[in-house]
Amino acid sequence: MGAGTLGALPVFCLSMSQIRHSPVAPTTTRLLGGGATIDRHRHDDHQLIYVSAGVLAITTEHGSWIASNDRAVWIPAHTWHEHRFYGQSRFHTVGFSAHGRPPLLDAENPTVIAVDPLVRELLIALTGTALTQIEIRHIEAVLRDRMRRVTAQPVALPAARDQRLADACRTVEEDLHQPWTLTQLAERVHTSERTLSRLYRDEFGTTFPQWRTRVRIFTAMVMLAEGATVTDTAHACGWATTSAFVQTFAHTVGMTPGTYRAGVGKPQQD
């Protein structure tokens, strides 16, 4: 996969009637190969999505999100979502009823959360083995308690609502190696630099340079999962030097690209 191919997707091209409706969000484990996809669908339940091996890119009407073996994605009930897997992936999903109890996390927006060793083992146990109802209730209770203490993670790409902002994002994503400036992008999408800067702040809550770094990190995570070297990934995603990439990646993701690359291909033992 080349840099930039995770660009701004036409996320509103289907009506709700065209989106597959599966009322119950399953609690299960599946093994999928790199390049596998799951089409656009929605559930009446909330869902926690995790991969103990590989990397999963999740697209929703709110934007794009990354799940890997150190982070999971919470998908609120009725939110349509679709998946693409990078590298050999072990895919875990846990459904939570949207009725009765209040949701564990945001009831409206997807959220990326850190997965510590305890949460990882709980997710693997809950989705990968034959359990009695009593065992399921006990594990779910511990998982619910632990999730109230998890930390939200920043690796997500929100979807642009304003067409000028969407066009600017797409331009950058198509070639991350090109060092676009805000002035150049504003000219490209026929608006002012001041307006485009405001759109990044208002819609994404960030500056253009901060957003561009997030896109590069997002793409780098996928490239590394597919086996690209750290040096090739740094170059493709627009860093001038490998050391600069390593420093930025480690600051954002919490580990070096080499450690991340080694970890995403190793399934956890069940």
Side-chain angles (χ1 to χ4, degrees):
M1 173 177 175
T5 56
L6 287 171
L9 300 174
V11 294
F12 297 109
C13 60
L14 296 179
S15 68
M16 286 299 286
S17 63
Q18 294 173 295
I19 297 170
R20 181 165 56 87
H21 179 218
S22 301
V24 177
T27 296
T28 187
T29 293
R30 297 172 61 184
L31 300 177
L32 296 108
T37 61
I38 296 177
D39 65 355
R40 195 168 298 191
H41 62 285
R42 60 188 175 90
H43 306 293
D44 296 337
D45 297 332
H46 304 300
Q47 191 173 40
L48 187 64
I49 297 172
Y50 174 63
V51 285
S52 58
V55 166
L56 169 61
I58 303 170
T59 299
T60 79
E61 62 200 88
H62 303 279
S64 299
W65 317 80
I66 281 284
S68 58
N69 64 7
D70 66 340
R71 64 197 67 221
V73 180
W74 168 264
I75 302 293
H78 311 296
T79 301
W80 67 253
H81 49 291
E82 58 191 11
H83 309 314
R84 183 176 182 86
F85 297 86
Y86 299 92
Q88 291 295 118
S89 300
R90 180 167 290 177
F91 175 54
H92 309 267
T93 63
V94 179
F96 296 90
S97 174
H99 305 287
R101 296 183 180 182
L104 288 171
L105 298 169
D106 195 325
E108 303 294 332
N109 300 294
T111 305
V112 181
I113 63 168
V115 172
D116 62 20
L118 176 56
V119 171
R120 178 182 300 117
E121 294 306 318
L122 291 170
L123 289 171
I124 291 173
L126 189 58
T127 60
T129 57
L131 301 170
T132 66
Q133 286 301 311
I134 292 176
E135 290 172 326
I136 290 172
R137 287 198 297 270
H138 285 332
I139 294 175
E140 284 186 343
V142 178
L143 181 60
R144 284 177 174 276
D145 182 65
R146 189 66 182 173
M147 284 180 62
R148 295 187 181 95
R149 297 168 172 79
V150 296
T151 304
Q153 296 291 296
V155 184
L157 296 180
R161 297 185 300 274
D162 188 282
Q163 189 60 51
R164 294 165 295 180
L165 180 58
D167 290 344
C169 292
R170 188 175 298 109
T171 297
V172 173
E173 292 162 349
E174 285 174 350
D175 185 3
L176 293 178
H177 195 261
Q178 176 68 28
W180 289 97
T181 66
L182 193 62
T183 301
Q184 292 171 324
L185 281 178
E187 293 176 355
R188 180 74 173 260
V189 301
H190 309 295
T191 191
S192 69
E193 180 179 350
R194 180 177 179 181
T195 296
L196 189 57
S197 178
R198 176 182 56 78
L199 287 170
Y200 273 103
R201 291 195 309 271
D202 290 352
E203 292 204 18
F204 297 162
T206 187
T207 66
F208 166 66
Q210 289 169 335
W211 172 85
R212 182 170 182 263
T213 296
R214 186 177 297 181
V215 172
R216 294 157 81 195
I217 292 292
F218 193 101
T219 306
M221 292 173 74
V222 169
M223 290 187 66
L224 292 167
E226 291 191 306
T229 67
V230 173
T231 299
D232 286 349
T233 301
H235 178 75
C237 294
W239 272 275
T241 65
T242 301
S243 60
F245 167 55
V246 171
Q247 182 178 7
T248 304
F249 190 96
H251 175 75
T252 304
V253 180
M255 66 182 73
T256 66
T259 300
Y260 177 85
R261 183 179 183 273
V264 292
K266 296 180 179 179
Q268 304 296 319
Q269 298 299 316
D270 337 3

